[in-house]
Amino acid sequence: KTQNVSSDYIIKGVENIFDNGDTRNILFSGIILSVIANKYDYLLQNRNQSKKLMSNNLAKLGDYWGKTNQFIIWSTFSGNYRGEQLNYSMNSFIANGIITYGIKFSTMRRRPDLSNKRSFPSGHTSNSFLGATILQNVYGSEVGIPGYILASITGMSRINDNKHYLSDVIFGAAFGVAIGTGFNYLYKEDIMIN
């Protein structure tokens, strides 16, 4: 099976986020935790200015992983289900990007460094946690857990680099996991059919 970017696949995957109890719970937990974290956003940012959360090299790793993990993941797919894996991954990353930027342009939250009004949610973080969820669902814990560790480094790097608040990162993480989980139902259906 060849990989296809499909609006039908994307719509079904997004519907799964709201139709399935697990993904709905992930998303709503992210909203609740983000609202709670919002009370501590400025306190954490002020502390981060005096003492950074991580070294510059670790922050760079997080930044690069947040931008490029999907390409690394795509290069690992092989075998009988390569087409289904690419469908799952490509369509979920596209949906994540479209929805994340839709939220960014709707909320227009100013970044901590005042560079623009696209702080909420963290796209690097949602992208990274989506990638980790895909790795978990395709390869299991042996690859998924390191993926989630890299995703966590990405989220922390966004706070460290003064690009996002804690609440941006928390919602981005939950959103990435929800997208990955919602689209995983389609991936499992594809594998069962083929």
Side-chain angles (χ1 to χ4, degrees):
K1 184 176 179 180
T2 60
Q3 72 272 13
N4 293 311
V5 174
S6 161
S7 59
D8 289 338
Y9 195 99
I10 291 170
I11 290 167
K12 286 178 189 174
V14 172
E15 286 174 349
N16 282 344
I17 295 168
F18 299 101
D19 292 346
N20 182 281
D22 290 342
T23 51
R24 236 186 356 252
N25 290 340
I26 293 166
L27 189 59
F28 290 126
S29 295
I31 291 168
I32 291 166
L33 291 172
S34 186
V35 168
I36 292 168
N38 185 271
K39 296 181 181 191
Y40 302 98
D41 280 346
Y42 297 106
L43 174 68
L44 182 60
Q45 257 354 93
N46 289 335
R47 284 190 183 165
N48 181 50
Q49 294 310 302
S50 62
K51 184 176 181 185
K52 293 291 187 181
L53 298 173
M54 59 180 50
S55 70
N56 286 338
N57 287 336
L58 194 56
K60 282 182 186 175
L61 172 66
D63 183 45
Y64 292 140
W65 182 254
K67 292 177 187 174
T68 62
N69 77 83
Q70 65 271 23
F71 303 113
I72 296 166
I73 292 168
W74 293 339
S75 72
T76 68
F77 294 148
S78 63
N80 293 339
Y81 298 114
R82 184 174 190 274
E84 290 82 0
Q85 293 165 345
L86 285 168
N87 278 343
Y88 168 35
S89 182
M90 293 176 86
N91 285 291
S92 59
F93 275 110
I94 289 169
N96 182 60
I98 291 169
I99 297 169
T100 297
Y101 273 87
I103 296 169
K104 283 178 177 285
F105 285 108
S106 298
T107 59
M108 296 189 63
R109 184 178 196 190
R110 187 169 298 282
R111 291 184 186 269
D113 69 358
L114 308 177
S115 62
N116 62 44
K117 291 182 176 180
R118 292 189 298 273
S119 188
F120 183 85
S122 169
H124 280 70
T125 306
S126 67
N127 204 45
S128 295
F129 275 87
L130 169 57
T133 303
I134 291 169
L135 290 172
Q136 175 69 33
N137 291 332
V138 171
Y139 297 113
S141 298
E142 288 181 6
V143 180
I145 289 172
Y148 283 116
I149 291 169
L150 285 167
S152 298
I153 291 169
T154 298
M156 287 177 23
S157 78
R158 303 309 287 160
I159 296 169
N160 182 78
D161 294 346
N162 209 30
K163 292 294 183 183
H164 287 286
Y165 296 104
L166 178 61
S167 58
D168 304 336
V169 168
I170 288 173
F171 184 77
F175 189 69
V177 172
I179 289 275
T181 304
F183 277 76
N184 185 49
Y185 294 108
L186 298 177
Y187 170 62
K188 286 181 178 177
E189 286 174 15
D190 283 352
I191 287 177
M192 296 191 65
I193 291 170
N194 297 315

